[in-house]
Amino acid sequence: MKPSITKLRNYFKLEAKNGYQNNAVIGGLGQMLEHWSAEARNDGLPENLVQVVDARLRDYHRLSETSRKETLFGLWNRIQREFGEDHPQPSEDEEASPIPDEKPAPQAQEEPTPPEVDTPPQTAESAPRPRVQLPPGQRADLHASVTTVKHIGERYAETLENLGIRTLGDMLYHFPNRYDDYSRMLPIAKLRYGEKVSLIGTVKSITSRSTRGGRVKIVEAVISDNSGAIRATWFNQPWIATQLQRGDHVVLSGKTDQYLGRLTMNSPDWSPIEKKHLMAEGVVPIYPLTAKITQRWLRNKMHAVVTDWADKVEDYLPAQLLDDAELLDLPVALEHIHFPESWEMLGQARHRLAFDEIFLLQLGVLQQKQIWAARLGRVFEIDQAWLAAQIDVLPFRLTGAQQRTLDEIVHDLATGHPMNRLVQGDVGSGKTVVAAMAIAMVVQAGAQAALMAPTSILAEQHYHNLLQLLSKEAGPLSPEQIHLMIGATPESEKAEIRAGLASGAIKVVIGTHALIEDPVEFADLQLAIIDEQHRFGVHQRASLREKGENPHLLVMTATPIPRSLALTVYGDLDVSVIDEMPPGRQPVETHVLSPKERERSYSLIRRQVEKGHQAFIIYPLVEESDKSEEKAAVEEHARLQKDVFGQFKLGLLHGRMTPGEKDTVMEKFRDGEYHILVSTSVVEVGVDIPNATVMLIEGAHRFGLAQLHQFRGRVGRGAAKAYCLLIPGSADAVENERLLAMAETNDGFVLAEKDLEQRGPGDFLGTRQSGFSALRLASLTDIQLIQKARKHAAALFERDAELTAPEHETLAVALNRFWHIESTDIS
């Protein structure tokens, strides 16, 4: 059964099971049409059938329950007639339709009722217990509006939307961001500088004032207990002065600081102490808030929702999996994530809910990998003698890592299924050569290849490299068969390229978005290569793939990917790692300088430019701002040109320039017309300037390790010694952990692991946000949890990849909800 048909069948079954209430999909069945239609077309379903499904479900929300039932039965009968034996009828002991009768079977009424709210929760060490099956009428309707909660009217509902809360389900999954335990708090007298603490005290005074001409408003409060006092300060939060009153008892949480020898707290979290504790042991949840909602009000409403509904939430994980993985039941986990009876139960609840997130993430990735692997691809049997001859004429020897990656690509091309491989390697590790050999393998068999890069200058760089590598002596192509197509390409030349690609005369095209934005057609596209793949969106990558019939896909990134991300975010791809540098490549000498040592960096740049080399100077901002004291590229470019490097020519590059302006600046720098390039982070990816030997990064503490490493990779690409100088915004930031790590190692993979730990996965995701934005509790640095969830997801996937078994129906719905039913191309 095709994946799109299976998905539709699951929706229909759940919709019938729920009494045709239009809640099998969040927002109603109509919400999934766009993504389902794309997947159906990708599966080869007839266009007329796709349009019929679209037309019938588009207005599904307007139909009565009877009409909805008739619509779903009619559509399924149409699908069965359309496909005949391709979609077999159910077995004899199954109903004649995939849509079950909405009336519960008699035995369902005899199943045990849910446990009472105060039933002692089972811990992970407890013996296996039977799953409590909730009759449909007793299940929590997680799609119900928050207005069903007592004392939440339309006005409060609108305010809760600012927190992303619209339904009961949103409330149950709006987790506390921290917890206070009144029994564990230190007296103020025992606090120490630099500690993250929570304390209880009484407001002795509260004042507010303005500074910087009224632009900054400061609220200060003195909080005391029997042992001492501490001053708390909030910036630009004037409403706190009206919410805190002298004599109030409060909890403060934050990091202790010091001013004039006295302890202070800057912008601490705070909440009033409630005389009525909701927890037996005083573990109090603290929720993220929005304006017009207090902690006390939201906590009381959350307590009502958890008490009334948590135990009625149906657990979508199979009972056997819960026992094998030693996980709490979902209702118990939801109860104790909000109002834990102990810190131990809170830990178990967080573990269960974090496991769910990684588990659903893994299932989605496995499904995507299966969908792509199930398709048929052109077989390319590579003659090893021919390949050895191509490698022998390269101007350098391949490293062991390059050869290993090449062997993996050779294997992929021969499987009969489309290659779906990610090649990751540090800047300068030789990914382009591997891509060139992959292109050679495909074009020597008469097929075509396309390489898409994020910028014109990078596309042009690839064009010149491939021209040299593929049209050399004994190479598989002539120069006339390799073309560059970017936005600046004249229209007459674009027309010639399009004609050559359509006829098959042109075998390789290198370009930017122009490859997918223009009406480009290929005679036989069999290899699509995407460079710096995280810079492209899902639909852009899919558009290039669609230019051929299930072409082989090779994506490349110069950002080393930590192992935990390779198992999750990139789990749908086969990953090759080029972890060796070509011989002769010197490590870049890296130093952290204080702002007072800036002149030393200028002296080094002068010496290097006088020797005939070039330099980069990077700034975190385009222009100066009242909100930041950091230096900015535009102002600093003018100052440096006038006061510091008057004898040299300086170029300026930043993100507010048009693509054409950026390309012009980079071309002039590449051609030596500029001695020094002053830039923002737009220079992070791409152009190869072998003559550049100095990379000076101002405001270096503002950048993550991945970015800093990318900047450093712009120099040291020639034979000369290269330097990277890091200057933070203040002397205090010289000891910044990221900057010290940069000075200690040139290994991109070591730095990538550190960057993931310090800053989270954002720098690695790029546009791969689908599914990963749903992680609320799980950390993509938790390799143990990832391995555990991956093991159980793979085992379940092996048994029931399409989640069509009855016990997996609710899991299938949860999976679709988690992934927001995104495009099937998540790579």
Side-chain angles (χ1 to χ4, degrees), residues 37-317:
S37 298
E39 183 176 354
R41 292 186 178 99
N42 214 18
D43 283 343
L45 268 63
E47 184 61 29
N48 64 333
L49 179 60
V50 175
Q51 292 182 7
V52 166
V53 173
D54 187 281
R56 297 278 179 85
L57 296 185
R58 184 71 60 187
D59 294 323
Y60 183 81
H61 64 285
R62 296 193 178 97
L63 303 178
S64 66
E65 291 180 13
T66 301
S67 298
R68 289 174 179 176
K69 177 179 179 180
E70 292 173 353
T71 295
L72 298 192
F73 272 85
L75 278 175
W76 187 253
N77 289 333
R78 169 72 180 269
I79 290 170
Q80 290 183 315
R81 290 197 306 272
E82 188 84 29
F83 288 90
E85 294 183 359
D86 287 346
H87 292 273
Q89 295 286 340
S91 59
E92 292 180 4
D93 59 347
E94 190 178 0
E95 296 179 30
S97 164
I99 309 171
D101 192 326
E102 64 271 31
K103 296 178 182 178
Q107 63 268 29
Q109 303 295 335
E110 301 169 5
E111 292 176 350
T113 56
E116 296 297 325
V117 177
D118 60 353
T119 298
Q122 303 253 1
T123 64
E125 291 76 26
S126 301
R129 66 280 184 194
R131 172 70 60 83
V132 174
Q133 296 294 334
L134 295 169
Q138 295 186 30
R139 293 177 193 146
D141 180 5
L142 300 183
H143 306 282
S145 169
V146 292
T147 56
T148 60
V149 180
K150 192 175 182 180
H151 301 310
I152 297 184
E154 293 297 336
R155 184 169 63 87
Y156 274 117
E158 289 179 10
T159 304
L160 286 171
E161 281 196 36
N162 296 329
L163 293 170
I165 297 175
R166 297 176 182 83
T167 66
L168 287 180
D170 293 335
M171 288 198 78
L172 285 172
Y173 280 83
H174 182 72
F175 302 136
N177 55 6
R178 65 180 177 86
Y179 302 82
D180 285 339
D181 185 346
Y182 298 162
S183 66
R184 293 186 176 186
M185 293 186 183
L186 290 173
I188 293 174
K190 291 190 176 182
L191 300 181
R192 296 291 179 266
Y193 169 75
E195 293 179 325
K196 288 186 177 180
V197 299
S198 292
L199 62 92
I200 294 176
T202 303
V203 178
K204 289 299 182 185
S205 67
I206 181 84
T207 59
S208 62
R209 57 189 171 88
S210 298
T211 62
R212 297 187 183 179
R215 292 200 307 267
V216 178
K217 298 187 183 302
I218 299 176
V219 175
E220 291 182 330
V222 175
I223 312 296
S224 70
D225 62 11
N226 292 329
S227 69
I230 189 169
R231 183 177 298 274
T233 305
W234 293 270
F235 299 92
N236 288 326
Q237 300 179 63
W239 58 87
I240 291 179
T242 61
Q243 294 177 348
L244 273 179
Q245 302 294 324
R246 191 166 183 259
D248 285 351
H249 301 289
V250 296
V251 177
L252 291 187
S253 293
K255 188 174 183 179
T256 56
D257 207 334
Q258 202 167 30
Y259 180 71
L260 298 179
R262 295 183 178 180
L263 284 181
T264 62
M265 295 181 84
N266 291 323
S267 300
D269 291 330
W270 70 278
S271 59
I273 295 179
E274 301 173 48
K275 295 179 181 178
K276 175 186 175 183
H277 288 184
L278 297 174
M279 274 59 57
E281 295 187 16
V283 182
V284 182
I286 306 297
Y287 292 95
L289 297 176
T290 187
K292 300 180 182 178
I293 287 182
T294 67
Q295 190 65 236
R296 179 180 298 175
W297 182 91
L298 182 57
R299 189 185 293 131
N300 286 335
K301 294 299 173 285
M302 295 298 295
H303 188 258
V305 169
V306 170
T307 300
D308 292 343
W309 297 105
D311 65 322
K312 298 178 178 63
V313 173
E314 188 167 18
D315 201 329
Y316 45 77
L317 292 187

Side-chain angles (χ1 to χ4, degrees), residues 316 359-365 367 801 803 810-821:
Y316 45 77
F359 181 80
L360 293 172
L361 182 60
Q362 293 283 6
L363 276 182
V365 164
Q367 281 193 347
L803 302 182
T810 51
L811 175 58
V813 174
L815 180 65
N816 288 328
R817 184 185 303 127
F818 179 85
W819 281 93
H820 306 299
I821 319 176

Side-chain angles (χ1 to χ4, degrees), residues 599-669:
E599 185 55 42
R600 288 179 58 195
S601 66
Y602 294 161
S603 298
L604 175 62
I605 290 174
R606 287 191 197 98
R607 291 196 302 271
Q608 290 294 308
V609 174
E610 287 168 356
K611 289 180 181 180
H613 299 305
Q614 292 167 283
F616 292 91
I617 303 179
I618 307 298
Y619 292 94
L621 303 176
V622 176
E623 294 177 316
E624 290 183 358
S625 165
D626 289 339
K627 297 179 181 179
S628 175
E629 297 180 1
E630 301 295 347
K631 295 183 180 297
V634 173
E635 288 82 3
E636 286 296 294
H637 171 261
R639 183 185 71 84
L640 292 170
Q641 182 67 86
K642 179 183 177 182
D643 301 332
V644 183
F645 300 115
Q647 71 273 43
F648 305 131
K649 292 190 67 175
L650 276 65
L652 175 65
L653 184 71
H654 58 73
R656 295 181 188 171
M657 292 177 165
T658 66
E661 290 170 337
K662 293 177 189 175
D663 289 343
T664 299
V665 171
M666 287 306 303
E667 287 166 7
K668 287 185 176 181
F669 188 53

Side-chain angles (χ1 to χ4, degrees), residues 365 369 420 422 424 533-534 541 555 557 559 561-575 761 763-768 772 790 826-827:
V365 164
K369 189 168 186 176
N420 200 31
L422 169 68
Q424 59 163 325
Q533 64 90 32
H534 65 285
R541 294 192 293 270
V555 295
T557 180
T559 302
I561 298 167
R563 181 165 174 258
S564 60
L565 295 192
L567 291 172
T568 51
V569 179
Y570 297 93
D572 58 313
L573 297 166
D574 296 311
V575 179
D763 288 345
F764 299 93
L765 293 182
T767 52
R768 289 175 70 95
F772 313 106
R790 183 179 177 85
I826 62 171
S827 63

